[in-house]
Amino acid sequence: MENARPIRLGLIGAGGISTAHIQAALKLPERVVLQAICDVNEKAAAEKAETYGIRDVYRDYKELLASPDIDAVIITVPNFLHAQVAVDSLRAGKHVLCEKPMVMKSEEADAIIRARDESGKQFMVSLNNRFRQAAQWLHARIAEGAFGDIYYAKTGWVRRRGIPAWGAWFFDRERSGGGPLIDLGVHMLDVTLWMLGNPNPVAVTGKTYAKFGPRHQGAWPGTSFAPNASYTVEDFASAFIQLENDATVLLETSWASHIEEERAYVEFLGTEGGVRWEWNVTGNRQEVKWFRSEHGVPADVTLHFDDQGERVALLDHFVTSITNNTTPLCTAEQGLMIAKVLEAIYASSEQGKQVRIEW
């Protein structure tokens, strides 16, 4: 049964992505209260607190976790801090919504899962693309068998110019874990596997490239690389992934590449039909094309989805998992699956051979 009292949220991290979570929370005033925000850059946290009416400001996240006024936290710190902050938050008795990627290394996931189980609190990975209307529609059609036996998927998120030069940690592998593969590819791989029912990936052949960043080219429009900034991640990656159900997935992702425009897409081929979901990232315009035959004649359907509320839907779902004590849609175990695949792609590129994934 749902609790009538709004969930009191604390944000750990006041960087760019925290704004998206704050704006989502403000659209759910009857369900959540923005109680506190924390960042080692206390000035940045204070500015966001003033802008959005957040009561409490902290510099040390452990002080925020000690507050009895906080029910749940949203973790938006750099990638290398996700695992430790998540474990500390669960042990402090807080429910956790953690930005992607859940972890940089798959072994870090074990500590999160153990802390979640021992605390009895909810843990959810912030994978907002599952909550897009088109994704929900596709998931339902696949589950009911509209496309038959799906044997091949192709997915990607590619940018023409979009290296996030505003934060040097993004292209420092020690702090980020990787480039567009762990930043954008994680979204597309997750939503693709989720729509397929989360079958275990069993083998990966991958390749990564760094052709723009090392030359300080391809930065996000309006930004530039800091002088002498070291670039230690890829700016393009591709992978061929074999699944336990004999289906395969082709993945591509880039921060910078000579293409027409930024786009994100998922395509499935099945025995009874094919489908392509693509969206223009800037305008958030989504289009789904369904290819099938009717009485031996090609019969194609195009659907348009123009929603921009996936983060609101994600936060609403997270709150429901807390109030109803139900398993959230994006679990730590699924975050572990994605981490294992990403690790295998990087390992395959470094070793120049296929890498098997053990379960």
Side-chain angles (χ1 to χ4, degrees):
M1 181 178 294
E2 293 202 17
N3 189 336
R5 179 177 65 78
I7 297 298
R8 297 167 298 183
L9 293 175
L11 289 95
I12 301 178
I17 196 63
S18 69
T19 302
H21 290 283
I22 291 170
Q23 291 173 344
L26 292 175
K27 293 181 180 179
L28 296 170
E30 296 181 358
R31 307 213 70 196
V32 299
V33 173
L34 291 169
Q35 189 77 21
I37 187 168
C38 173
D39 200 285
V40 292
N41 182 344
E42 193 169 2
K43 180 181 178 182
E47 288 176 350
K48 284 202 170 176
E50 182 177 359
T51 300
Y52 296 105
I54 302 172
R55 192 187 76 177
D56 301 326
V57 177
Y58 297 89
R59 187 178 187 278
D60 185 341
Y61 77 91
K62 291 186 178 179
E63 293 182 5
L64 181 151
L65 294 179
S67 171
D69 295 333
I70 303 297
D71 301 310
V73 298
I74 302 177
I75 298 173
T76 63
V77 294
N79 298 350
F80 74 101
L81 297 171
H82 285 184
Q84 187 61 60
V85 175
V87 169
D88 289 342
S89 299
L90 290 164
R91 288 177 176 168
K94 313 302 182 186
H95 303 282
V96 175
L97 177 62
C98 181
E99 256 301 329
K100 58 77 194 171
M102 183 181 84
V103 293
M104 289 199 336
K105 299 177 182 179
S106 60
E107 58 261 29
E108 295 175 322
D110 293 336
I112 292 176
I113 293 171
R114 185 165 57 253
R116 178 203 62 189
D117 293 346
E118 291 174 352
S119 68
K121 299 300 179 180
Q122 298 294 349
F123 177 89
M124 179 172 165
V125 188
S126 181
L127 292 160
N128 57 292
N129 288 297
R130 293 194 192 188
F131 292 88
R132 292 182 181 272
Q133 291 180 8
Q136 293 283 324
W137 183 88
L138 262 176
H139 185 269
R141 300 293 78 73
I142 291 172
E144 68 187 22
F147 310 109
D149 177 25
I150 294 177
Y151 53 90
Y152 179 73
K154 184 165 61 175
T155 186
W157 188 333
V158 288
R159 289 178 181 165
R160 181 166 183 166
R161 181 183 171 192
I163 295 176
W166 57 76
W169 72 266
F170 274 102
F171 44 83
D172 175 3
R173 187 166 182 177
E174 291 298 314
R175 292 184 287 171
S176 67
L181 180 59
I182 204 168
D183 179 37
L184 306 178
V186 63
H187 277 300
M188 307 316 297
L189 180 60
D190 171 77
V191 78
T192 299
L193 294 178
W194 169 67
M195 286 194 279
L196 291 175
N198 286 310
N200 285 334
V202 295
V204 168
T205 302
K207 184 64 179 176
T208 65
Y209 301 89
K211 301 297 184 181
F212 290 80
R215 296 184 290 155
H216 283 194
Q217 295 181 5
W220 196 273
T223 69
S224 59
F225 289 88
N228 303 316
S230 178
Y231 190 94
T232 58
V233 300
E234 81 284 355
D235 45 44
F236 182 92
S238 63
F240 183 73
I241 304 162
Q242 296 174 236
L243 308 180
E244 63 182 353
N245 62 0
D246 203 40
T248 52
V249 177
L250 183 65
L251 169 70
E252 65 172 359
T253 182
S254 71
W255 275 342
S257 49
H258 290 304
I259 57 174
E260 183 177 6
E261 62 179 355
E262 179 174 1
R263 62 191 181 94
Y265 66 91
V266 181
E267 184 172 348
F268 295 109
L269 296 181
T271 54
E272 304 304 318
V275 66
R276 182 179 180 88
W277 165 36
E278 183 167 352
W279 76 86
N280 175 290
V281 178
T282 303
N284 209 28
R285 297 184 305 277
Q286 302 172 67
E287 181 178 83
V288 173
K289 291 187 175 182
W290 185 353
F291 311 103
R292 67 189 194 279
S293 295
E294 292 286 347
H295 306 291
V297 178
D300 302 340
V301 176
T302 300
L303 302 97
H304 297 278
F305 300 83
D306 293 316
D307 68 292
Q308 296 187 33
E310 72 276 0
R311 287 196 179 273
V312 178
L314 180 148
L315 182 57
D316 186 65
H317 175 83
F318 175 58
V319 171
T320 296
S321 76
I322 295 171
T323 56
N324 291 356
N325 193 28
T326 51
T327 302
L329 185 64
C330 312
T331 67
E333 286 80 4
Q334 292 163 5
L336 170 60
M337 174 188 289
I338 298 301
K340 282 194 170 188
V341 177
L342 298 184
E343 280 183 341
I345 294 172
Y346 285 123
S348 175
S349 181
E350 291 168 2
Q351 298 170 17
K353 64 180 182 180
Q354 183 188 72
V355 171
R356 303 286 302 181
I357 302 176
E358 302 297 329
W359 297 96

